[in-house]
Amino acid sequence: MNAKERFIKALNFEETDRPPFYLSFVPQLAEKLYRYYGMPYQQPIDSFLSNHVSWTDLLVKMGVDCLCIAASSPDNGKTRIEEDGLILNEWNIGMKNHGLYDDFVLHPLAHAQSVKDIESFTFPAADAPGRFRDAEQTIAKYGKDYGIIGDLECSVFELAWYLTGLEKFLMDMMTEEPYVEILLDRITDYHIGVGKRLIELGADMIWCGDDYGTQRGPLIDTDTFRRLFAPRIRRMFRAFKELNPDIKLAWHSCGSILPLIPEFIELGLDVLNPLQPLADGMEPQYLKDTFGDKLAFFGAVCIQDLLPNSSPEQIKSEVKRRAAILGKGGGYLIAPAHNIQADTPVENVLAFVEAVNELAE
């Protein structure tokens, strides 16, 4: 079977020779991997989800079964760097590089209090010219042979707080400021437009997401989730299923989110990501036993401790252990629980890849 067949069969809970495999990493690690494979480094794609949609040639070389497509910055909204180093994207969200990462320093709706504040803000157009040029190129080159994931993360909550600031948005949700719901609606509208286009291009799965968990438990209580987020997620999911009833719907949320998993099942979720291993309660056996008849799983390989700090032999053993648990009866896409970080040695990434290949032996 080819990579695409393996990807689709596993997500339909069919046994495959091994679980399908996905990888993502930060640019600093990508550069090291390009050097290892003797390939010329490719600059990241200008996208809100750059780490997931860039470096497809390298990922194919490493043996992945699926690749991501997403919205890119359009022709009239390219990310730009100001003289003072401020990085501004098309949403006018500002970041500055402080070493390994770009940190948020400018929130264009930090002043928002009223519905009028949201109505006067210029939201990017989902169908802006050039938005899907990179996605189209990936589909044209790889769509027949590889599973295609339409990446739609930062779907509702995260983009809202990127625009307003995290502390402000958490407070304003609790005090029910009048702008909150219309902001969430406008963000949802944008992502429905993007997601539908990714499906039309040929995505086999739409990967939505917001981080609702901390290391110890949910950041958002269940009542707030039901009031503010569940109706908008349901609207997205329905729009995508109406367009393609066979589309698989995945959701990313870092951290410990056990109380929210039944909520997502009720909303129609097919695939849960990333199963952050060191977060409380996210143990593979428990998740498989409790939710494995309703959900496929995507992720679960620890990037906080296992990949950066273990020996290659320990990594191979743990990858195989998790695959045996989560892949039993199908329903598992093996992947890191987030982008693999710059502190992970190349040999440890290669051990991860080797362990996946050995699963088929």
Side-chain angles (χ1 to χ4, degrees):
M1 77 181 57
N2 70 11
K4 192 179 192 78
E5 291 169 337
R6 182 180 294 114
F7 177 80
I8 291 173
K9 283 180 177 291
L11 293 183
N12 283 308
F13 295 94
E14 297 179 38
E15 292 277 4
T16 55
D17 56 339
R18 61 163 175 79
F21 177 43
Y22 171 80
L23 270 179
S24 66
F25 24 69
V26 296
Q28 297 89 345
L29 182 55
E31 291 190 59
K32 295 177 185 177
L33 289 165
Y34 270 103
R35 286 197 296 271
Y36 173 83
Y37 284 102
M39 300 168 64
Y41 179 66
Q42 303 295 317
Q43 289 298 321
I45 289 173
D46 184 5
S47 168
F48 214 77
L49 299 162
S50 176
N51 288 339
H52 289 166
V53 299
S54 302
W55 313 306
T56 52
D57 58 337
L58 175 62
L59 293 170
V60 167
K61 178 74 172 179
M62 297 179 73
V64 300
D65 295 289
C66 48
L67 298 164
C68 279
I69 59 173
S72 297
S73 299
D75 295 339
N76 65 351
K78 297 298 184 185
T79 302
R80 60 194 190 275
I81 302 177
E82 305 289 290
E83 289 185 2
D84 63 354
L86 181 68
I87 304 165
L88 279 174
N89 65 21
E90 61 174 316
W91 296 83
N92 283 315
I93 297 168
M95 294 159 282
K96 279 199 173 181
N97 185 273
H98 293 130
L100 290 175
Y101 298 100
D102 298 335
D103 297 326
F104 293 107
V105 296
L106 178 64
H107 305 279
L109 287 173
H111 66 285
Q113 293 296 330
S114 67
V115 169
K116 185 178 179 181
D117 292 330
I118 306 305
E119 291 176 338
S120 63
F121 182 74
T122 301
F123 285 79
D127 60 352
R131 173 79 68 200
F132 299 101
R133 188 177 296 118
D134 296 310
E136 290 167 353
Q137 291 173 355
T138 297
I139 286 280
K141 190 170 183 179
Y142 300 110
K144 290 183 180 180
D145 298 319
Y146 292 85
I148 299 296
I149 300 172
D151 197 351
L152 204 68
E153 293 171 280
C154 308
S155 303
V156 188
F157 169 60
E158 282 196 69
L159 185 50
W161 79 252
Y162 293 172
L163 290 165
T164 62
L166 179 58
E167 183 176 349
K168 170 184 170 57
F169 195 68
L170 290 174
M171 294 290 291
D172 289 350
M173 285 195 304
M174 296 300 100
T175 56
E176 300 187 17
E177 296 301 321
Y179 80 88
V180 166
E181 297 220 28
I182 189 171
L183 174 58
L184 295 176
D185 284 338
R186 293 294 301 273
I187 291 169
T188 302
D189 291 342
Y190 170 81
H191 279 120
I192 288 175
V194 170
K196 289 173 71 172
R197 183 59 184 144
L198 296 176
I199 293 170
E200 290 168 350
L201 288 174
D204 301 300
M205 182 172 83
I206 294 294
W207 182 14
C208 305
D210 288 314
D211 287 339
Y212 292 125
T214 72
Q215 199 85 1
R216 298 289 173 252
L219 179 67
I220 302 293
D221 67 273
T222 303
D223 288 344
T224 300
F225 179 82
R226 289 173 178 166
R227 176 171 63 91
L228 291 178
F229 301 110
R232 291 159 177 96
I233 296 168
R234 189 186 307 277
R235 184 155 66 90
M236 281 198 299
F237 283 3
R238 283 179 174 171
F240 301 153
K241 286 288 189 179
E242 286 172 2
L243 184 59
N244 178 4
D246 295 325
I247 197 74
K248 295 298 181 183
L249 301 173
W251 192 275
H252 167 94
S253 179
C254 287
S256 174
I257 57 163
L258 286 180
L260 298 182
I261 295 176
E263 304 293 322
F264 277 107
I265 292 171
E266 194 275 330
L267 290 169
L269 188 68
D270 299 305
V271 185
L272 182 65
N273 167 268
L275 287 67
Q276 184 177 329
L278 297 184
D280 285 358
M282 303 302 286
E283 293 85 5
Q285 192 67 64
Y286 174 79
L287 294 172
K288 186 72 171 181
D289 291 345
T290 307
F291 304 111
D293 60 335
K294 301 179 182 67
L295 291 174
F297 300 107
F298 170 15
V301 176
C302 179
I303 64 107
Q304 291 179 280
D305 182 49
L306 177 70
L307 289 180
N309 299 324
S310 301
S311 69
E313 293 74 21
Q314 290 170 322
I315 290 167
K316 292 175 73 171
S317 175
E318 183 62 16
V319 167
K320 292 175 182 178
R321 186 183 76 85
R322 289 179 178 271
I325 295 169
L326 293 168
K328 186 177 181 181
Y332 181 42
L333 171 54
I334 191 166
H338 208 287
N339 303 312
I340 304 178
Q341 301 294 299
D343 60 350
T344 298
V346 167
E347 56 266 31
N348 286 9
V349 181
L350 300 179
F352 183 8
V353 175
E354 289 168 9
V356 172
N357 290 328
E358 290 172 5
L359 291 170
E361 295 177 356

